[in-house]
Amino acid sequence: MPRFAVNLSMLFTELPYLDRFSAAADAGFEAVEVLFPYEIAAKETQRALLANGLELLLINAPPPNYTGGRPGYAAMPEMEERFQRDIRRVMRYADVLRPKMIHIMAGYCEGPEARACFIRNLQFAADQAPDQKFTIEPLNRADQPGYFLADYPLAVEVLSEVDRANVGLQYDAYHAQMIHGDAADVWGKFGSHAVHVQFGAAPGRCEPGTGPVDFQQLFAAMDDSGYKGWVSAEYTPSTPRTEDSLGWLRDQ
């Protein structure tokens, strides 16, 4: 059975941010994700993690563009200087929070210049912090119109060109299903590149139990493939209380 974690930016949101850590621990989780922790002092998040015996698996980078832009700009050539400046800010948070992974978001652009910029910025981040693991994740364009990294073959090509041991693939069953129409097939083809896994049901991005993905089979396939990393719930609960959406966990 996989080791399950929970994304506190999407689950337990009925609670104040710092209260979500104890709720996750009470529900039996030992590890969590926080997508953008930058509005809260790193020490506060650190205290919540330590108080509840939780490991922080993942944060996103770069920080949000508070001037109104959408999140992510690592593949946007006009933002390259800003990315390289902002990744240093991310690493200051990482020095305190010690996330296992940092997901670098590509942003909204296209073309060969964007691809080259994304590769340069990934190499820059990897070389600046060789002991930190980074991920890239394809996002579906139905939810994220114009997102550069929008399919798994492109992600694997980028990883090959980046050629850094501390940069790997982040597989998300929801996005895989939305992009390619078969999350299990995507895992079979690309799961060997995955260093981190997330999931939610498609197309509603809620808890498992709706949609075409057989999560019991998918989780079994992950086990059978030898994947040893965490598998994190990243969905919007269909229930007012997150706890009531965790039937999939109790069924394991």
Side-chain angles (χ1 to χ4, degrees):
M1 183 177 72
R3 297 184 296 165
F4 290 108
V6 63
N7 186 306
L8 296 184
S9 298
M10 296 184 68
L11 288 87
F12 296 106
T13 59
E14 67 271 22
L15 301 172
Y17 171 70
L18 292 174
D19 292 343
R20 298 174 200 172
F21 295 84
S22 58
D26 289 345
F29 294 103
E30 297 179 353
V32 299
E33 303 173 348
V34 177
L35 296 184
F36 294 105
Y38 306 104
E39 291 185 347
I40 302 294
K43 287 289 187 182
E44 292 190 48
T45 296
Q46 181 192 50
R47 282 193 290 269
L49 290 164
L50 292 173
N52 293 285
L54 295 169
E55 179 179 358
L56 181 62
L57 297 181
L58 181 81
I59 62 175
N60 280 357
N65 182 355
Y66 293 112
T67 61
R70 290 178 290 180
Y73 41 87
M76 299 172 67
E78 70 273 18
M79 301 288 279
E80 186 166 359
E81 183 179 345
R82 175 171 177 171
F83 174 85
Q84 294 188 2
R85 182 174 68 248
D86 282 357
I87 200 68
R88 295 185 176 95
R89 179 186 173 201
V90 171
M91 294 314 302
R92 289 197 294 272
Y93 268 77
D95 286 343
V96 176
L97 299 178
R98 301 294 181 185
K100 189 175 180 66
M101 310 277 179
I102 297 175
H103 168 212
I104 295 183
M105 299 187 70
Y108 303 83
C109 49
E110 60 182 356
E113 290 185 4
R115 180 180 179 136
C117 178
F118 193 35
I119 290 166
R120 286 194 304 271
N121 278 334
L122 289 168
Q123 291 172 331
F124 178 85
D127 293 344
Q128 287 286 305
D131 295 328
Q132 174 68 58
K133 293 181 180 178
F134 297 92
T135 66
I136 61 172
E137 176 191 3
L139 304 183
N140 79 84
R141 286 182 175 165
D143 291 348
Q144 303 291 338
Y147 196 76
F148 171 76
L149 191 64
D151 65 63
Y152 279 78
L154 175 59
V156 171
E157 290 175 11
V158 167
L159 288 173
S160 178
E161 293 185 49
V162 170
D163 192 24
R164 296 295 189 274
N166 58 331
V167 184
L169 178 68
Q170 185 169 315
Y171 167 91
D172 187 309
Y174 167 73
H175 286 291
Q177 182 69 30
M178 293 292 290
I179 295 167
H180 297 290
D182 190 335
D185 182 65
V186 173
W187 178 262
K189 291 177 178 176
F190 302 103
S192 61
H193 298 276
V195 296
H196 186 59
V197 169
Q198 297 169 322
F199 68 91
R205 205 173 191 180
C206 61
E207 66 274 8
T210 65
V213 179
D214 185 327
F215 281 95
Q216 293 286 355
Q217 288 187 5
L218 182 59
F219 295 150
M222 291 176 184
D223 282 341
D224 291 345
S225 72
Y227 175 73
K228 300 299 183 184
W230 291 89
V231 177
S232 187
E234 191 192 40
Y235 62 77
T236 300
S238 65
T239 56
R241 293 195 320 153
T242 295
E243 182 181 0
D244 295 332
S245 77
L246 298 179
W248 58 268
L249 179 61
R250 293 186 285 270
D251 290 341
Q252 300 304 312

